[in-house]
Amino acid sequence: MRKTTVLISGASIAGPALAYWLDRYGFTVTVVEKAPALRQGGQAVDFTGHTHMTVLERMGILEDVKARQTGKTDMVIVDEAGNQKALISGDFTGGDIEILRGDLSEVMYERTAGQCEYLFDDTITALADTADGVHVEFANAPARTFDLVIGADGIHSRVRKLAFGPEEKFVKHQGHYYSIAGASNWEAHPDAPRERAVSYALNTPGRLASLGSSKAGQMYLFASPKLDFDRDDLDAQRRILAEKFAGLGWEVPKMLAELPGLKGFFLDSIAKVTMKDFVKGRVALLGDAGYGNTMAGFGTGLAVVGAYVLAGELAAADGDHTVAFPRYQEMMKRYSKLAGGANAGPFLAPKTALGLRVRNWFLTSWAFDMMMKSTEKSKNDIELKNYPEILAGR
């Protein structure tokens, strides 16, 4: 195979996963990441079912992921007096295996750093898709031309903006915002036994404030129309939270007072990416950049499976993107369809008192068990080709 050159934007999870497979199949891979270094810790992500485990096993990282997994965290829902009102099981929020995002990223990075080029503290500023390749300009590195460019850079994808159009064409606000800050249970106590843990959350109409989960030390979620704020202005974002959660009881005043001193803070919309096509010319989108849905419980699995399929189809087509990209899109459109219909906002923070009571009843009903079984089935709803075996048999 000719050494097809591929630039991947994003070094969180989807990017290194794709880099692993492309390098294994003989491609020359460069990964560009705007952060100055690999991000550590972070919120927990999860995998569920046979399909996810199969991909992790074929990557040779399943045992490493298991070794670094967190315990599951049950969320106890309380009222402003601290009285328990409901329980959200960690079996629902944590999947079969839960691992800190930074730990998973590190596992994948370790398997690619020696063979793939990583450009940290840099970002793509311009793309020109031509018949001979994609001419790429960077904020810091010299301009270069690659055979293919893959956007694995999240729901606010720079590659999508440059190659497909402005964000507002594809990203739809889902009616809620969420924020996390501080170390999660497992990040704060890395040597603690990976046992089942408990977090607590105040839930009032349209608002949820949580302490001590596997996602973060503090987590907030609130209903709101689309807000206009600077994504780089963290102080302004903290002021938004202070305003939205003002006047609540329980531990919330203490949480808000501690918020300015906590690391890892961010605020973002619960949003969904909807695209008719997430491949175009020599450019393709992977994971949240092309079919993301915030907090829907599918994102990490979709990214890792998508990386496996995209790399496998490119290898099977000897690097011919005109053959591989349509096959990848067809498979991943079907697989990501159910994820596109989920919305965690109304479930975690119903907007009315009646909605809260109905949600709390639902958590103990047969319907909740049915939903969990349906969700697990959907995560296995793809026929995976065994690309390593197919290519080895050539």
Side-chain angles (χ1 to χ4, degrees):
M1 180 185 295
R2 182 179 71 85
K3 284 282 189 177
T4 303
T5 58
V6 183
L7 173 67
I8 302 170
S9 176
S12 179
I13 293 172
L18 180 62
Y20 169 84
W21 287 112
L22 289 177
D23 172 70
R24 179 171 174 175
Y25 297 146
F27 293 76
T28 299
V29 181
T30 298
V31 182
V32 60
E33 167 59 47
K34 66 179 180 180
L38 204 65
R39 292 184 173 95
Q40 300 297 312
Q43 68 190 79
V45 297
D46 63 88
F47 297 99
T48 301
H50 174 72
T51 296
H52 293 177
M53 301 308 147
T54 297
V55 173
L56 295 178
E57 187 172 26
R58 289 178 185 174
M59 289 183 75
I61 66 172
L62 179 57
E63 294 308 313
D64 285 346
V65 171
K66 287 181 177 179
R68 298 196 189 198
Q69 68 180 309
T70 68
K72 295 181 180 179
T73 302
D74 297 325
M75 179 182 286
V76 176
I77 304 296
V78 300
D79 60 19
E80 293 193 72
N83 300 311
Q84 181 172 337
K85 307 300 289 185
L87 175 74
I88 300 178
S89 170
D91 295 320
F92 174 64
T93 59
D96 292 335
I97 299 178
E98 187 180 76
I99 182 173
L100 295 180
R101 177 179 292 275
D103 286 354
L104 178 61
S105 180
E106 185 176 355
V107 167
M108 294 182 174
Y109 174 74
E110 288 172 350
R111 282 162 174 74
T112 57
Q115 302 80 35
C116 303
E117 177 186 20
Y118 277 81
L119 303 175
F120 286 102
D121 199 22
D122 209 345
T123 189
I124 299 171
T125 59
L127 294 173
D129 193 345
T130 72
D132 299 320
V134 186
H135 183 73
V136 181
E137 294 181 16
F138 300 94
N140 298 318
R144 293 160 63 180
T145 298
F146 298 85
D147 293 313
L148 304 171
V149 172
I150 311 298
D153 45 356
I155 205 161
H156 300 294
S157 171
R158 161 89 49 177
V159 171
R160 187 186 60 229
K161 178 180 179 181
L162 293 172
F164 293 83
E167 181 171 305
E168 52 267 27
K169 287 180 61 177
F170 310 110
V171 180
K172 181 181 179 182
H173 174 57
Q174 295 286 80
H176 286 74
Y177 283 82
Y178 77 108
S179 175
I180 65 171
S184 69
N185 281 337
W186 314 113
E187 189 181 354
H189 306 287
D191 298 324
R194 292 330 201 203
E195 299 172 349
R196 201 173 192 97
V198 177
S199 67
Y200 294 87
L202 173 64
N203 215 176
T204 63
R207 293 182 288 185
L208 179 143
S210 171
L211 268 177
S213 74
S214 60
K215 304 300 181 185
Q218 293 186 13
M219 183 176 76
Y220 302 86
L221 194 146
F222 61 91
S224 172
K226 189 172 181 180
L227 301 173
D228 183 17
F229 60 87
D230 185 345
R231 292 182 57 235
D232 294 322
D233 189 342
L234 300 187
D235 288 336
Q237 294 171 36
R238 292 187 186 96
R239 288 194 293 271
I240 290 173
L241 277 186
E243 176 185 330
K244 295 295 182 181
F245 286 83
L248 291 184
W250 189 59
E251 299 289 331
V252 173
K254 182 180 178 182
M255 291 170 63
L256 293 174
E258 294 175 349
L259 192 59
L262 297 181
K263 296 181 179 179
F265 172 84
F266 75 85
L267 171 72
D268 206 349
S269 168
I270 291 182
K272 178 172 68 174
V273 177
T274 303
M275 302 187 74
K276 180 181 178 181
D277 296 297
F278 44 84
V279 299
K280 181 180 181 183
R282 293 176 175 269
V283 180
L285 302 177
L286 171 64
D288 283 353
Y291 33 89
N293 191 1
T294 314
M295 295 184 71
F298 295 82
T300 306
L302 282 175
V304 173
V305 172
Y308 175 81
V309 171
L310 176 55
E313 291 298 337
L314 281 168
D318 290 331
D320 186 347
H321 65 283
T322 65
V323 175
F325 280 3
R327 290 176 178 171
Y328 157 70
Q329 176 166 274
E330 180 182 3
M331 293 180 69
M332 293 309 297
K333 269 200 167 185
R334 180 175 181 273
Y335 186 49
S336 63
K337 186 174 182 180
L338 182 62
N343 185 351
F347 179 79
L348 291 174
K351 295 181 180 181
T352 65
L354 175 60
L356 278 173
R357 291 195 296 272
V358 171
R359 192 280 314 276
N360 292 346
W361 166 85
F362 176 73
L363 288 169
T364 61
S365 72
W366 60 267
F368 182 68
D369 293 335
M370 291 288 290
M371 184 186 75
M372 288 189 66
K373 291 177 182 178
S374 175
T375 299
E376 181 171 350
K377 181 180 179 181
S378 70
K379 291 183 179 181
N380 295 298
D381 190 19
I382 185 172
E383 186 175 345
L384 282 182
K385 300 178 186 178
N386 192 336
Y387 297 108
E389 189 175 276
I390 292 170
L391 295 167
R394 282 184 172 183

